[in-house]
Amino acid sequence: MTADAPVEVTISFRLNSNSDLVESIAVRIAPHGVEQHWSRADLDRASRVGRESQEGSTVLSFGDAKVLVSAEQPVEEAAAPAPRSLLASPEETATWIFQANSKFSDVSGLRLLSEPVCLVRQFKQQIKRGDRVYLWECGRRGGIIGLAEVLEAPRIQAEPPAQLRFIRDGQRFAGDRLRVKLRLLKVIAPVIHRKYLLSRPELAKLSILRCPRGTNFRVTREQAEVLDKVVKKFEAFFPNWNGLREKRIVFAGG
């Protein structure tokens, strides 16, 4: 190419896996009117040359053309905002599901105690005061049976005396273990069955439905929003439910 010949400059950006940062920039200069074809080898070569630079700048070579590109700071993709996190940040109120097994304890105790204490086996560093907890009864006919909030961070403590009468497997709950105190906000009856939750596409990927083995399960922000709507829907449909598998009808006095 001569100094006064018209040229076309093509710049190609390679984004990272999150599409929020540019990992490499490839620049190609060609005579005006000549169709340009980019190949994966071109981009790989540009990226390799960029990594080999030692002077805080990148020299990209294509044919006889050499272009100096500053590399002092990463180039941010302004047009594409960072993807919204599915999980609550450490400062936000997180949502969890705590699972109870009727083989080991009488799950009805969770509905009778105003401040139940539950074992913590997973996410001990993430569960914190103020988080919301859906109480879950496991089994084929199980599902959500209550809603609570975390009163304090998990700590080593013994099983509270008030809960001992509900225990069926003493060895499983014996001794000082990592537990967390909750405040029961509402009893959910009838149970919001797991089959119903599976029928909702936005809830079908709940971790407790995909892999039910465990005690404490994380709920994403989007899933928590849907669960909140589901609970309100059930409450509106069963406003006078008394927990005895019959609906109470109240007649106004004449």
Side-chain angles (χ1 to χ4, degrees):
M1 292 183 292
T2 62
D4 57 351
V7 297
E8 291 184 359
V9 179
T10 303
I11 302 176
S12 178
F13 300 90
R14 174 185 286 175
L15 303 180
N16 66 358
S17 59
N18 293 327
S19 298
D20 58 357
L21 288 176
V22 177
E23 290 186 337
S24 61
I25 303 174
V27 181
R28 185 173 187 128
I29 301 176
H32 178 68
V34 177
E35 185 177 0
Q36 301 182 46
H37 298 280
W38 286 87
S39 67
R40 181 59 180 264
D42 292 329
L43 297 178
D44 287 342
R45 181 166 175 261
S47 179
R48 183 175 65 254
V49 172
R51 287 195 299 269
E52 292 172 353
S53 173
Q54 302 293 324
E55 301 298 330
S57 61
T58 301
V59 178
L60 303 179
S61 300
F62 294 95
D64 296 330
K66 293 186 178 182
V67 180
L68 183 66
V69 179
S70 174
E72 294 180 356
Q73 295 180 350
V75 181
E76 295 189 3
E77 174 76 354
R84 182 187 179 193
S85 174
L86 296 178
L87 304 177
S89 68
E91 295 77 22
E92 292 180 280
T93 299
T95 302
W96 311 91
I97 290 177
F98 286 6
Q99 179 169 232
N101 193 326
S102 58
K103 292 181 180 180
F104 308 128
S105 63
D106 185 351
V107 178
S108 64
L110 292 174
R111 291 171 164 165
L112 300 176
L113 299 169
S114 60
E115 294 185 355
V117 175
C118 299
L119 287 171
V120 174
R121 300 183 187 275
Q122 296 85 27
F123 306 107
K124 61 181 180 179
Q125 300 295 334
Q126 289 78 34
I127 297 171
K128 63 185 182 302
R129 178 184 175 89
D131 285 354
R132 291 165 61 88
V133 175
Y134 285 98
L135 303 175
W136 183 284
E137 180 178 0
C138 74
R140 297 183 61 183
R141 294 185 293 178
I144 297 175
I145 63 174
L147 175 65
E149 69 172 339
V150 177
L151 284 181
E152 60 184 16
R155 61 182 177 86
I156 301 296
Q157 56 184 306
E159 187 76 12
Q163 294 184 190
L164 295 178
R165 58 192 175 106
F166 299 109
I167 292 178
R168 293 171 176 165
D169 185 343
Q171 185 63 33
R172 189 175 184 84
F173 297 92
D176 292 342
R177 305 196 181 194
L178 190 64
R179 294 178 166 92
V180 65
K181 180 183 287 188
L182 309 177
R183 175 189 291 121
L184 185 65
L185 298 179
K186 63 178 66 177
V187 171
I188 297 176
V191 172
I192 301 179
H193 199 276
R194 61 186 305 276
K195 288 185 177 180
Y196 172 77
L197 299 175
L198 276 169
S199 71
R200 299 286 299 262
E202 59 270 61
L203 295 176
K205 292 185 178 181
L206 276 170
S207 56
I208 195 170
L209 297 176
R210 294 167 62 89
C211 185
R213 297 192 64 178
T215 303
N216 317 105
F217 300 82
R218 192 195 299 272
V219 178
T220 68
R221 183 189 294 111
E222 284 76 9
Q223 291 169 344
E225 292 173 355
V226 177
L227 283 176
D228 183 61
K229 295 177 181 178
V230 168
V231 170
K232 291 178 180 177
K233 178 180 178 181
F234 267 64
E235 289 178 334
F237 192 75
F238 300 103
N240 298 310
W241 188 272
N242 61 10
L244 300 176
R245 297 195 178 277
E246 60 185 21
K247 203 167 182 184
R248 184 176 61 202
I249 302 176
V250 179
F251 295 92

